[in-house]
Amino acid sequence: MSISLADARFLFDRVTGLIRRGWLSLRTRGLRASWQRVRAQLRRVPAARRATLAFPPETPAVPATLPTSGMPLASLVVPVYGQLEHTLRCLRALAAWPPQAPFEVIVVDDGSPDDSGTVLPAIDGLRYHRRAENGGFIAACNDGAALARGEYLVFLNNDTVPQPGWLDALLKTFGEHPGAGLVGAQLLYPDGRLQEAGGVVRRDGSADKLGRLAAPDDPAHAFVREVDYCSGAAIALQRADFERLGGFDTRYAPAFYEDTDLGMSMRAAGKKVLCQPASRVVHVEGATAGTDVRRGMKAWQERNQATFRERWQSVLPRHSGHDATGAMLTRHHHARCVLVVDALTPTPDRDSGSLRLVNLMRLLREEGAHVVFLPADLKHAGAYTDALQALGVETWHAPFVTGIPAWMREHGARFDSVVVCRHYVARSFLPLLREHAPRAQLVFDTIDLHYLREQRAAEVAGDATMARAAGRTRELELDVIARSDLTVVVSGAERELLARDAPAARVELLSNLHHVAGPGAPFAQRRDLVFVGGFRHPPNVGAVRWFVEMVFPRVRARLPDVGFHCIGGDVPAAVAALAAHEGVTVHGHVPDIAPYMDGCRIAVAPLRYGAGVKGKVNLSMAHGQPVVATQCAVEGMHLRDGHDVLVADDAEAFADAVVRLYEDPVLWNRLAANGLDNVARHFSLDAARDTVRRVFFDAKG
């Protein structure tokens, strides 16, 4: 078989290019980093781990129209120079899966030598602008930005296939992440592997893509991540910010490093650059500029690196060198790195402990920490895992974690603090953490003191076997406290108990964390009673049974039209059977609790035993919903009977309190207002900031 001259030239260029790039990598990155890049190139991503992609039909057909808006929120700027077939495929994808947000499409033709100038202007809904002469990528993008009408500018390469939902995910990021200045999509190869999850700039000014050739859902790249820059192939930012920064810097004309520079400029202006993995865009890398840095447009890449390095020489020393890999590449964005470990992935719409933990992670991020979450069961918890990743928490799970000891060996050295929840989880993790995270402060989060709860349950039941089990739990829990650097409790009562039971321990109070929702509907527009609590927690089972069987009949005798709503997941048969009582509705898990918080007149917390601080009480008060509770339910919550809560322990007194509050708008309004104030002062994220700063940011490391 004969080889043509063109074939031979291709092979020669290919081989010599690989050799040259390998030599440059060795010279600039060193052997270790270069070998890791080779391993990434050779890494096999199983088909099951590759993204399932959507492509418009392979046809040369020109879309007749684009569903654009005359009042766009986002202006999509698509620079083109030839490559009409790529442009049409990109536009067909926009027509097939239009974003929900109103948008416009501005195609800037940089003097295409093909039929682009004839075909594209005929598409209805597309704004076509042809430059008088070819000026390169930067000139075309800046021209398109000048024509834009939307609040947001979105730069989109013509050699891309935007996936369904891509634009809405980009735009949503600005609302969910205060301080976001520029947001980039996760770029994918056409085979479903990851091309880029944002980029980093190294100390010498070279730019590297994060996650290249990995699985798109690899936990290292599947969360909203702060990065140095995002490739200009698919990025969004506010038009006002783009104008304030002067657009793409023309010193890099015609192309390359302009997107890297824009990211650095945005960060210098005090805003964040984020990669949003929920926004996915297929990118045919190099379709327009090629991949050979020795010739053509790509040759500008090396020249512009020197220009970039000179421009940012005062900042680059804070960046990583070529010896840094993985998560350490973006360490310079964060004051601390904190690992959080719990038995399961938190489910904040199902239990107050989960809500507290998620809000703690949110607060740590707000204070400048990078947060990593590892569930001890290693399971991907569906929407709950997705929600943590959307929050910006690096959330790990199987199959990417094959074993906790191996994962700790790989990651432990990067943590400044580790929070381990629940004594039975902490007991097994502490030896691993001491070995593999030697510089980390080890924080034991009790959630609540389990031995105190078990002791009280044994007392209520009068059960000697339960009492002995509580004693064993006490031994185990106090042992974990003794071996931890710091223990976190949720109530002052628990801190006082540990002052007696573990006097040598360092103990901090970090209570429930709630957003103050506000007063909700007024007294006259509310009706009925509500209880909220997951039924995997045994005290909640006993509480609702006692209320329905002993208290509610007394309430109904005086308020015959009042209803009782019992809300909480994992409903056992004993609770489900309560629905047979007149006026009782057992809802089970309710995904959106707000209608019951804003619509029911009174919340009840009829707990007979327990420990810690009761999230159900905080939750209702945060919505301006007064609470009738037992003394056990309000322990350690800074509440006063008659001021911000009504307290009663026997059935008759509890029923009297419910009826009195239900019929007295003056009392109701006083308790509602004072309850809101209580949450703001003691249980809001702002109330906990000083403790979080003291525990995690003034600690060793």
Side-chain angles (χ1 to χ4, degrees), residues 387-626:
L388 282 183
Q389 293 173 327
L391 180 62
V393 174
E394 180 185 330
T395 307
W396 286 82
H397 54 83
F400 299 96
V401 183
T402 54
I404 289 172
W407 188 89
M408 283 294 178
R409 280 195 298 273
E410 181 180 355
H411 293 272
R414 63 179 167 126
F415 301 122
D416 300 297
S417 294
V418 180
V419 181
V420 189
C421 304
R422 303 171 213 279
H423 72 90
Y424 51 86
V425 178
R427 187 162 175 260
S428 60
F429 269 80
L430 281 173
L432 281 176
L433 292 167
R434 290 296 184 198
E435 180 175 353
H436 300 303
R439 69 185 186 88
Q441 173 190 229
L442 303 188
V443 179
F444 169 43
D445 188 348
T446 61
I447 304 299
D448 62 20
L449 281 176
H450 288 48
Y451 77 85
L452 176 60
R453 170 158 46 89
E454 291 179 15
Q455 284 174 351
R456 289 174 170 175
E459 290 168 3
V460 170
D463 190 317
T465 301
M466 291 174 64
R468 286 192 295 273
R472 177 56 178 158
T473 298
R474 180 180 182 276
E475 293 175 8
L476 295 173
E477 204 158 15
L478 291 177
D479 175 65
V480 169
I481 290 170
R483 291 191 288 137
S484 301
D485 296 322
L486 184 147
T487 295
V488 171
V489 296
V490 297
S491 77
E494 291 185 341
R495 184 165 58 181
E496 291 174 7
L497 176 62
L498 289 184
R500 298 191 300 270
D501 287 358
R506 180 187 169 197
V507 180
E508 289 280 358
L509 174 61
L510 186 62
S511 199
N512 286 353
L513 299 168
H514 292 267
H515 289 287
V516 181
F523 175 88
Q525 295 178 18
R526 294 173 177 257
R527 58 174 296 160
D528 293 344
L529 316 176
V530 64
F531 171 92
V532 178
F535 292 107
R536 283 191 301 179
H537 190 56
N540 288 336
V541 177
V544 295
R545 292 186 65 185
W546 178 76
F547 179 78
V548 171
E549 294 167 358
M550 303 300 295
V551 179
F552 193 54
R554 291 175 164 88
V555 174
R556 288 276 293 188
R558 298 159 64 183
L559 299 172
D561 295 328
V562 75
F564 173 59
H565 300 273
C566 180
I567 296 173
D570 305 294
V571 178
V575 173
L578 299 176
H581 292 254
E582 189 174 359
V584 175
T585 304
V586 178
H587 294 273
H589 172 63
V590 174
D592 183 10
I593 200 73
Y596 297 94
M597 295 294 96
D598 295 334
C600 288
R601 188 171 291 180
I602 299 173
V604 295
L607 295 168
R608 312 302 291 156
Y609 69 93
V613 172
K614 310 307 180 291
K616 57 178 61 64
V617 176
N618 292 140
L619 179 66
S620 291
M621 289 183 171
H623 284 79
Q625 183 180 64

Side-chain angles (χ1 to χ4, degrees), residues 623-678:
H623 284 79
Q625 183 180 64
V627 178
V628 178
T630 57
Q631 187 64 49
C632 171
V634 299
E635 180 183 67
M637 299 189 69
H638 314 281
L639 296 169
R640 288 183 289 149
D641 185 17
H643 178 74
D644 35 28
V645 68
L646 294 184
V647 179
D649 281 322
D650 66 78
E652 190 65 41
F654 204 102
D656 286 344
V658 169
V659 172
R660 178 160 62 99
L661 181 57
Y662 200 87
E663 295 183 321
D664 187 342
V666 175
L667 175 62
W668 189 95
N669 282 308
R670 182 171 74 244
L671 265 59
N674 292 338
L676 282 166
D677 180 64
N678 175 275

Side-chain angles (χ1 to χ4, degrees), residues 320-332:
S320 300
H322 287 283
D323 55 336
T325 59
M328 298 306 294
L329 289 169
T330 53
R331 179 60 197 262
H332 56 282

Side-chain angles (χ1 to χ4, degrees), residues 298-315:
K298 197 73 171 174
W300 289 96
Q301 184 170 326
E302 290 195 7
R303 190 212 74 166
N304 284 349
Q305 180 180 335
T307 303
F308 175 86
R309 184 170 57 244
E310 181 180 358
R311 170 160 158 72
W312 295 102
Q313 58 183 322
S314 64
V315 175

